[in-house]
PDB file of all heavy atoms in Angstrom:
ATOM      1  N   PHE P   1      14.301 -25.978 -49.590  1.00 87.00           N
ATOM      2  CA  PHE P   1      14.247 -26.074 -48.127  1.00 87.00           C
ATOM      3  C   PHE P   1      14.580 -24.755 -47.436  1.00 87.00           C
ATOM      4  O   PHE P   1      13.809 -24.298 -46.585  1.00 87.00           O
ATOM      5  CB  PHE P   1      15.173 -27.198 -47.635  1.00 87.00           C
ATOM      6  CG  PHE P   1      15.235 -27.311 -46.139  1.00 87.00           C
ATOM      7  CD1 PHE P   1      14.194 -27.883 -45.422  1.00 87.00           C
ATOM      8  CD2 PHE P   1      16.340 -26.851 -45.438  1.00 87.00           C
ATOM      9  CE1 PHE P   1      14.242 -27.998 -44.048  1.00 87.00           C
ATOM     10  CE2 PHE P   1      16.405 -26.957 -44.061  1.00 87.00           C
ATOM     11  CZ  PHE P   1      15.348 -27.527 -43.362  1.00 87.00           C
ATOM     12  N   PRO P   2      15.689 -24.090 -47.760  1.00 86.00           N
ATOM     13  CA  PRO P   2      15.965 -22.801 -47.092  1.00 86.00           C
ATOM     14  C   PRO P   2      14.903 -21.750 -47.390  1.00 86.00           C
ATOM     15  O   PRO P   2      14.635 -20.876 -46.559  1.00 86.00           O
ATOM     16  CB  PRO P   2      17.330 -22.396 -47.668  1.00 86.00           C
ATOM     17  CG  PRO P   2      17.927 -23.647 -48.201  1.00 86.00           C
ATOM     18  CD  PRO P   2      16.772 -24.473 -48.676  1.00 86.00           C
ATOM     19  N   THR P   3      14.302 -21.830 -48.571  1.00 86.00           N
ATOM     20  CA  THR P   3      13.308 -20.842 -48.972  1.00 86.00           C
ATOM     21  C   THR P   3      11.995 -21.011 -48.223  1.00 86.00           C
ATOM     22  O   THR P   3      11.367 -20.031 -47.802  1.00 86.00           O
ATOM     23  CB  THR P   3      13.042 -20.942 -50.491  1.00 86.00           C
ATOM     24  OG1 THR P   3      14.273 -20.752 -51.190  1.00 86.00           O
ATOM     25  CG2 THR P   3      12.036 -19.889 -50.934  1.00 86.00           C
ATOM     26  N   PHE P   4      11.579 -22.255 -48.038  1.00 84.00           N
ATOM     27  CA  PHE P   4      10.237 -22.518 -47.537  1.00 84.00           C
ATOM     28  C   PHE P   4      10.169 -23.063 -46.106  1.00 84.00           C
ATOM     29  O   PHE P   4       9.073 -23.217 -45.569  1.00 84.00           O
ATOM     30  CB  PHE P   4       9.519 -23.500 -48.472  1.00 84.00           C
ATOM     31  CG  PHE P   4       9.210 -22.933 -49.815  1.00 84.00           C
ATOM     32  CD1 PHE P   4       9.948 -23.318 -50.928  1.00 84.00           C
ATOM     33  CD2 PHE P   4       8.200 -21.995 -49.989  1.00 84.00           C
ATOM     34  CE1 PHE P   4       9.679 -22.782 -52.185  1.00 84.00           C
ATOM     35  CE2 PHE P   4       7.919 -21.458 -51.234  1.00 84.00           C
ATOM     36  CZ  PHE P   4       8.656 -21.858 -52.332  1.00 84.00           C
ATOM     37  N   LYS P   5      11.322 -23.347 -45.475  1.00 85.00           N
ATOM     38  CA  LYS P   5      11.258 -23.995 -44.161  1.00 85.00           C
ATOM     39  C   LYS P   5      10.551 -23.135 -43.115  1.00 85.00           C
ATOM     40  O   LYS P   5       9.772 -23.645 -42.301  1.00 85.00           O
ATOM     41  CB  LYS P   5      12.651 -24.397 -43.663  1.00 85.00           C
ATOM     42  CG  LYS P   5      13.580 -23.238 -43.325  1.00 85.00           C
ATOM     43  CD  LYS P   5      14.909 -23.752 -42.763  1.00 85.00           C
ATOM     44  CE  LYS P   5      15.824 -22.594 -42.391  1.00 85.00           C
ATOM     45  NZ  LYS P   5      17.114 -23.078 -41.827  1.00 85.00           N
ATOM     46  N   LYS P   6      10.792 -21.825 -43.112  1.00 87.00           N
ATOM     47  CA  LYS P   6      10.150 -20.943 -42.125  1.00 87.00           C
ATOM     48  C   LYS P   6       8.649 -20.846 -42.385  1.00 87.00           C
ATOM     49  O   LYS P   6       7.840 -20.905 -41.451  1.00 87.00           O
ATOM     50  CB  LYS P   6      10.790 -19.556 -42.173  1.00 87.00           C
ATOM     51  CG  LYS P   6      10.179 -18.535 -41.211  1.00 87.00           C
ATOM     52  CD  LYS P   6      10.382 -18.934 -39.752  1.00 87.00           C
ATOM     53  CE  LYS P   6      10.089 -17.793 -38.788  1.00 87.00           C
ATOM     54  NZ  LYS P   6       8.705 -17.294 -38.880  1.00 87.00           N
ATOM     55  N   ILE P   7       8.281 -20.711 -43.653  1.00 89.00           N
ATOM     56  CA  ILE P   7       6.859 -20.646 -44.004  1.00 89.00           C
ATOM     57  C   ILE P   7       6.159 -21.923 -43.585  1.00 89.00           C
ATOM     58  O   ILE P   7       5.084 -21.905 -42.976  1.00 89.00           O
ATOM     59  CB  ILE P   7       6.702 -20.410 -45.516  1.00 89.00           C
ATOM     60  CG1 ILE P   7       7.310 -19.063 -45.913  1.00 89.00           C
ATOM     61  CG2 ILE P   7       5.227 -20.485 -45.925  1.00 89.00           C
ATOM     62  CD1 ILE P   7       7.427 -18.859 -47.411  1.00 89.00           C
ATOM     63  N   ALA P   8       6.772 -23.067 -43.917  1.00 87.00           N
ATOM     64  CA  ALA P   8       6.182 -24.355 -43.572  1.00 87.00           C
ATOM     65  C   ALA P   8       6.090 -24.535 -42.062  1.00 87.00           C
ATOM     66  O   ALA P   8       5.081 -25.020 -41.535  1.00 87.00           O
ATOM     67  CB  ALA P   8       6.992 -25.490 -44.199  1.00 87.00           C
ATOM     68  N   ALA P   9       7.144 -24.149 -41.342  1.00 88.00           N
ATOM     69  CA  ALA P   9       7.151 -24.293 -39.887  1.00 88.00           C
ATOM     70  C   ALA P   9       6.068 -23.436 -39.245  1.00 88.00           C
ATOM     71  O   ALA P   9       5.420 -23.852 -38.273  1.00 88.00           O
ATOM     72  CB  ALA P   9       8.519 -23.924 -39.328  1.00 88.00           C
ATOM     73  N   ASP P  10       5.847 -22.247 -39.778  1.00 91.00           N
ATOM     74  CA  ASP P  10       4.803 -21.370 -39.234  1.00 91.00           C
ATOM     75  C   ASP P  10       3.418 -22.007 -39.388  1.00 91.00           C
ATOM     76  O   ASP P  10       2.555 -21.854 -38.510  1.00 91.00           O
ATOM     77  CB  ASP P  10       4.830 -20.016 -39.946  1.00 91.00           C
ATOM     78  CG  ASP P  10       6.016 -19.154 -39.534  1.00 91.00           C
ATOM     79  OD1 ASP P  10       6.666 -19.486 -38.524  1.00 91.00           O
ATOM     80  OD2 ASP P  10       6.285 -18.163 -40.232  1.00 91.00           O
ATOM     81  N   ILE P  11       3.199 -22.713 -40.475  1.00 92.00           N
ATOM     82  CA  ILE P  11       1.912 -23.375 -40.694  1.00 92.00           C
ATOM     83  C   ILE P  11       1.683 -24.466 -39.647  1.00 92.00           C
ATOM     84  O   ILE P  11       0.608 -24.541 -39.031  1.00 92.00           O
ATOM     85  CB  ILE P  11       1.837 -23.967 -42.113  1.00 92.00           C
ATOM     86  CG1 ILE P  11       1.850 -22.850 -43.158  1.00 92.00           C
ATOM     87  CG2 ILE P  11       0.586 -24.833 -42.279  1.00 92.00           C
ATOM     88  CD1 ILE P  11       2.007 -23.341 -44.587  1.00 92.00           C
ATOM     89  N   SER P  12       2.692 -25.297 -39.417  1.00 91.00           N
ATOM     90  CA  SER P  12       2.528 -26.381 -38.439  1.00 91.00           C
ATOM     91  C   SER P  12       2.389 -25.820 -37.026  1.00 91.00           C
ATOM     92  O   SER P  12       1.623 -26.348 -36.211  1.00 91.00           O
ATOM     93  CB  SER P  12       3.701 -27.364 -38.520  1.00 91.00           C
ATOM     94  OG  SER P  12       4.934 -26.726 -38.291  1.00 91.00           O
ATOM     95  N   THR P  13       3.090 -24.729 -36.725  1.00 91.00           N
ATOM     96  CA  THR P  13       2.963 -24.094 -35.409  1.00 91.00           C
ATOM     97  C   THR P  13       1.544 -23.578 -35.191  1.00 91.00           C
ATOM     98  O   THR P  13       0.963 -23.756 -34.111  1.00 91.00           O
ATOM     99  CB  THR P  13       3.962 -22.925 -35.276  1.00 91.00           C
ATOM    100  OG1 THR P  13       5.290 -23.434 -35.346  1.00 91.00           O
ATOM    101  CG2 THR P  13       3.776 -22.196 -33.953  1.00 91.00           C
ATOM    102  N   ALA P  14       0.974 -22.949 -36.215  1.00 92.00           N
ATOM    103  CA  ALA P  14      -0.396 -22.431 -36.104  1.00 92.00           C
ATOM    104  C   ALA P  14      -1.389 -23.552 -35.842  1.00 92.00           C
ATOM    105  O   ALA P  14      -2.336 -23.388 -35.054  1.00 92.00           O
ATOM    106  CB  ALA P  14      -0.758 -21.683 -37.382  1.00 92.00           C
ATOM    107  N   ILE P  15      -1.171 -24.694 -36.460  1.00 95.00           N
ATOM    108  CA  ILE P  15      -2.066 -25.840 -36.250  1.00 95.00           C
ATOM    109  C   ILE P  15      -1.964 -26.330 -34.808  1.00 95.00           C
ATOM    110  O   ILE P  15      -2.979 -26.623 -34.161  1.00 95.00           O
ATOM    111  CB  ILE P  15      -1.736 -26.965 -37.241  1.00 95.00           C
ATOM    112  CG1 ILE P  15      -2.095 -26.529 -38.665  1.00 95.00           C
ATOM    113  CG2 ILE P  15      -2.494 -28.255 -36.880  1.00 95.00           C
ATOM    114  CD1 ILE P  15      -1.558 -27.441 -39.739  1.00 95.00           C
ATOM    115  N   ILE P  16      -0.755 -26.411 -34.280  1.00 94.00           N
ATOM    116  CA  ILE P  16      -0.573 -26.856 -32.898  1.00 94.00           C
ATOM    117  C   ILE P  16      -1.265 -25.905 -31.926  1.00 94.00           C
ATOM    118  O   ILE P  16      -1.941 -26.329 -30.987  1.00 94.00           O
ATOM    119  CB  ILE P  16       0.926 -26.980 -32.555  1.00 94.00           C
ATOM    120  CG1 ILE P  16       1.573 -28.098 -33.370  1.00 94.00           C
ATOM    121  CG2 ILE P  16       1.119 -27.231 -31.054  1.00 94.00           C
ATOM    122  CD1 ILE P  16       1.016 -29.483 -33.090  1.00 94.00           C
ATOM    123  N   LEU P  17      -1.128 -24.609 -32.158  1.00 92.00           N
ATOM    124  CA  LEU P  17      -1.768 -23.638 -31.276  1.00 92.00           C
ATOM    125  C   LEU P  17      -3.288 -23.754 -31.320  1.00 92.00           C
ATOM    126  O   LEU P  17      -3.962 -23.678 -30.280  1.00 92.00           O
ATOM    127  CB  LEU P  17      -1.327 -22.225 -31.652  1.00 92.00           C
ATOM    128  CG  LEU P  17       0.132 -21.877 -31.329  1.00 92.00           C
ATOM    129  CD1 LEU P  17       0.513 -20.547 -31.949  1.00 92.00           C
ATOM    130  CD2 LEU P  17       0.358 -21.853 -29.815  1.00 92.00           C
ATOM    131  N   GLU P  18      -3.838 -23.988 -32.505  1.00 94.00           N
ATOM    132  CA  GLU P  18      -5.282 -24.165 -32.621  1.00 94.00           C
ATOM    133  C   GLU P  18      -5.733 -25.461 -31.964  1.00 94.00           C
ATOM    134  O   GLU P  18      -6.791 -25.520 -31.326  1.00 94.00           O
ATOM    135  CB  GLU P  18      -5.703 -24.142 -34.093  1.00 94.00           C
ATOM    136  CG  GLU P  18      -5.701 -22.767 -34.714  1.00 94.00           C
ATOM    137  CD  GLU P  18      -6.632 -21.802 -33.990  1.00 94.00           C
ATOM    138  OE1 GLU P  18      -7.783 -22.188 -33.700  1.00 94.00           O
ATOM    139  OE2 GLU P  18      -6.198 -20.672 -33.707  1.00 94.00           O
ATOM    140  N   TYR P  19      -4.917 -26.500 -32.120  1.00 95.00           N
ATOM    141  CA  TYR P  19      -5.232 -27.776 -31.467  1.00 95.00           C
ATOM    142  C   TYR P  19      -5.285 -27.600 -29.951  1.00 95.00           C
ATOM    143  O   TYR P  19      -6.201 -28.093 -29.283  1.00 95.00           O
ATOM    144  CB  TYR P  19      -4.185 -28.836 -31.835  1.00 95.00           C
ATOM    145  CG  TYR P  19      -4.226 -30.050 -30.943  1.00 95.00           C
ATOM    146  CD1 TYR P  19      -5.212 -31.017 -31.088  1.00 95.00           C
ATOM    147  CD2 TYR P  19      -3.292 -30.205 -29.918  1.00 95.00           C
ATOM    148  CE1 TYR P  19      -5.269 -32.120 -30.247  1.00 95.00           C
ATOM    149  CE2 TYR P  19      -3.332 -31.301 -29.076  1.00 95.00           C
ATOM    150  CZ  TYR P  19      -4.323 -32.246 -29.244  1.00 95.00           C
ATOM    151  OH  TYR P  19      -4.374 -33.335 -28.394  1.00 95.00           O
ATOM    152  N   ILE P  20      -4.316 -26.898 -29.405  1.00 93.00           N
ATOM    153  CA  ILE P  20      -4.273 -26.691 -27.959  1.00 93.00           C
ATOM    154  C   ILE P  20      -5.488 -25.899 -27.492  1.00 93.00           C
ATOM    155  O   ILE P  20      -6.076 -26.210 -26.446  1.00 93.00           O
ATOM    156  CB  ILE P  20      -2.949 -26.002 -27.558  1.00 93.00           C
ATOM    157  CG1 ILE P  20      -1.788 -26.993 -27.720  1.00 93.00           C
ATOM    158  CG2 ILE P  20      -3.012 -25.488 -26.116  1.00 93.00           C
ATOM    159  CD1 ILE P  20      -0.423 -26.391 -27.517  1.00 93.00           C
ATOM    160  N   LYS P  21      -5.884 -24.897 -28.254  1.00 90.00           N
ATOM    161  CA  LYS P  21      -7.092 -24.137 -27.894  1.00 90.00           C
ATOM    162  C   LYS P  21      -8.306 -25.047 -27.805  1.00 90.00           C
ATOM    163  O   LYS P  21      -9.121 -24.953 -26.883  1.00 90.00           O
ATOM    164  CB  LYS P  21      -7.351 -23.039 -28.923  1.00 90.00           C
ATOM    165  CG  LYS P  21      -6.440 -21.851 -28.832  1.00 90.00           C
ATOM    166  CD  LYS P  21      -6.819 -20.818 -29.898  1.00 90.00           C
ATOM    167  CE  LYS P  21      -5.849 -19.644 -29.907  1.00 90.00           C
ATOM    168  NZ  LYS P  21      -6.188 -18.667 -30.974  1.00 90.00           N
ATOM    169  N   SER P  22      -8.432 -25.947 -28.769  1.00 86.00           N
ATOM    170  CA  SER P  22      -9.601 -26.830 -28.801  1.00 86.00           C
ATOM    171  C   SER P  22      -9.548 -27.893 -27.727  1.00 86.00           C
ATOM    172  O   SER P  22     -10.577 -28.452 -27.335  1.00 86.00           O
ATOM    173  CB  SER P  22      -9.715 -27.490 -30.177  1.00 86.00           C
ATOM    174  OG  SER P  22      -8.663 -28.418 -30.381  1.00 86.00           O
ATOM    175  N   GLU P  23      -8.351 -28.192 -27.244  1.00 77.00           N
ATOM    176  CA  GLU P  23      -8.193 -29.269 -26.277  1.00 77.00           C
ATOM    177  C   GLU P  23      -7.997 -28.791 -24.845  1.00 77.00           C
ATOM    178  O   GLU P  23      -7.806 -29.613 -23.949  1.00 77.00           O
ATOM    179  CB  GLU P  23      -6.973 -30.126 -26.660  1.00 77.00           C
ATOM    180  CG  GLU P  23      -7.197 -30.978 -27.886  1.00 77.00           C
ATOM    181  CD  GLU P  23      -8.212 -32.068 -27.644  1.00 77.00           C
ATOM    182  OE1 GLU P  23      -7.933 -32.978 -26.849  1.00 77.00           O
ATOM    183  OE2 GLU P  23      -9.301 -31.993 -28.234  1.00 77.00           O
ATOM    184  N   GLN P  24      -8.051 -27.489 -24.599  1.00 71.00           N
ATOM    185  CA  GLN P  24      -7.635 -26.987 -23.286  1.00 71.00           C
ATOM    186  C   GLN P  24      -8.435 -27.578 -22.140  1.00 71.00           C
ATOM    187  O   GLN P  24      -7.921 -27.725 -21.034  1.00 71.00           O
ATOM    188  CB  GLN P  24      -7.691 -25.462 -23.251  1.00 71.00           C
ATOM    189  CG  GLN P  24      -9.040 -24.845 -23.534  1.00 71.00           C
ATOM    190  CD  GLN P  24      -8.947 -23.331 -23.577  1.00 71.00           C
ATOM    191  OE1 GLN P  24      -8.501 -22.703 -22.618  1.00 71.00           O
ATOM    192  NE2 GLN P  24      -9.325 -22.740 -24.677  1.00 71.00           N
ATOM    193  N   ASN P  25      -9.642 -27.963 -22.383  1.00 52.00           N
ATOM    194  CA  ASN P  25     -10.445 -28.556 -21.301  1.00 52.00           C
ATOM    195  C   ASN P  25     -10.193 -30.056 -21.127  1.00 52.00           C
ATOM    196  O   ASN P  25     -10.738 -30.678 -20.211  1.00 52.00           O
ATOM    197  CB  ASN P  25     -11.931 -28.328 -21.576  1.00 52.00           C
ATOM    198  CG  ASN P  25     -12.300 -26.867 -21.494  1.00 52.00           C
ATOM    199  OD1 ASN P  25     -11.731 -26.124 -20.705  1.00 52.00           O
ATOM    200  ND2 ASN P  25     -13.261 -26.437 -22.313  1.00 52.00           N
ATOM    201  N   GLN P  26      -9.377 -30.623 -22.028  1.00 54.00           N
ATOM    202  CA  GLN P  26      -9.107 -32.062 -21.956  1.00 54.00           C
ATOM    203  C   GLN P  26      -7.879 -32.380 -21.095  1.00 54.00           C
ATOM    204  O   GLN P  26      -7.662 -33.531 -20.735  1.00 54.00           O
ATOM    205  CB  GLN P  26      -8.892 -32.616 -23.358  1.00 54.00           C
ATOM    206  CG  GLN P  26     -10.055 -32.407 -24.292  1.00 54.00           C
ATOM    207  CD  GLN P  26     -11.307 -33.101 -23.813  1.00 54.00           C
ATOM    208  OE1 GLN P  26     -11.256 -34.247 -23.364  1.00 54.00           O
ATOM    209  NE2 GLN P  26     -12.420 -32.412 -23.899  1.00 54.00           N
ATOM    210  N   PHE P  27      -7.086 -31.375 -20.811  1.00 46.00           N
ATOM    211  CA  PHE P  27      -5.864 -31.597 -20.038  1.00 46.00           C
ATOM    212  C   PHE P  27      -6.051 -31.084 -18.605  1.00 46.00           C
ATOM    213  O   PHE P  27      -6.787 -30.145 -18.355  1.00 46.00           O
ATOM    214  CB  PHE P  27      -4.678 -30.876 -20.686  1.00 46.00           C
ATOM    215  CG  PHE P  27      -4.329 -31.442 -22.031  1.00 46.00           C
ATOM    216  CD1 PHE P  27      -4.832 -30.872 -23.191  1.00 46.00           C
ATOM    217  CD2 PHE P  27      -3.504 -32.546 -22.142  1.00 46.00           C
ATOM    218  CE1 PHE P  27      -4.515 -31.391 -24.430  1.00 46.00           C
ATOM    219  CE2 PHE P  27      -3.178 -33.061 -23.361  1.00 46.00           C
ATOM    220  CZ  PHE P  27      -3.680 -32.498 -24.515  1.00 46.00           C
ATOM    221  N   ALA P  28      -5.360 -31.703 -17.692  1.00 45.00           N
ATOM    222  CA  ALA P  28      -5.413 -31.248 -16.301  1.00 45.00           C
ATOM    223  C   ALA P  28      -4.769 -29.873 -16.190  1.00 45.00           C
ATOM    224  O   ALA P  28      -3.680 -29.631 -16.725  1.00 45.00           O
ATOM    225  CB  ALA P  28      -4.668 -32.234 -15.408  1.00 45.00           C
TER     226      ALA P  28
END
C-alpha cells in the first residue's frame, strides 16, 4: 500500500480528468 498508493491514485485521477473532458458538454 505505501509503495503503490500514489501510483494507483494517479491512475484514477487521470481517468476522472478524461471523463470530465468527454462530459463537459453534458453539464450546465
Side-chain angles (χ1 to χ4, degrees):
F1 177 76
T3 302
F4 292 106
K5 68 177 181 179
K6 179 64 166 60
I7 297 169
D10 287 346
I11 294 171
S12 58
T13 296
I15 292 168
I16 294 297
L17 290 171
E18 285 301 314
Y19 165 76
I20 289 173
K21 285 181 184 178
S22 69
E23 288 292 293
Q24 59 184 303
N25 293 327
Q26 302 298 317
F27 294 95

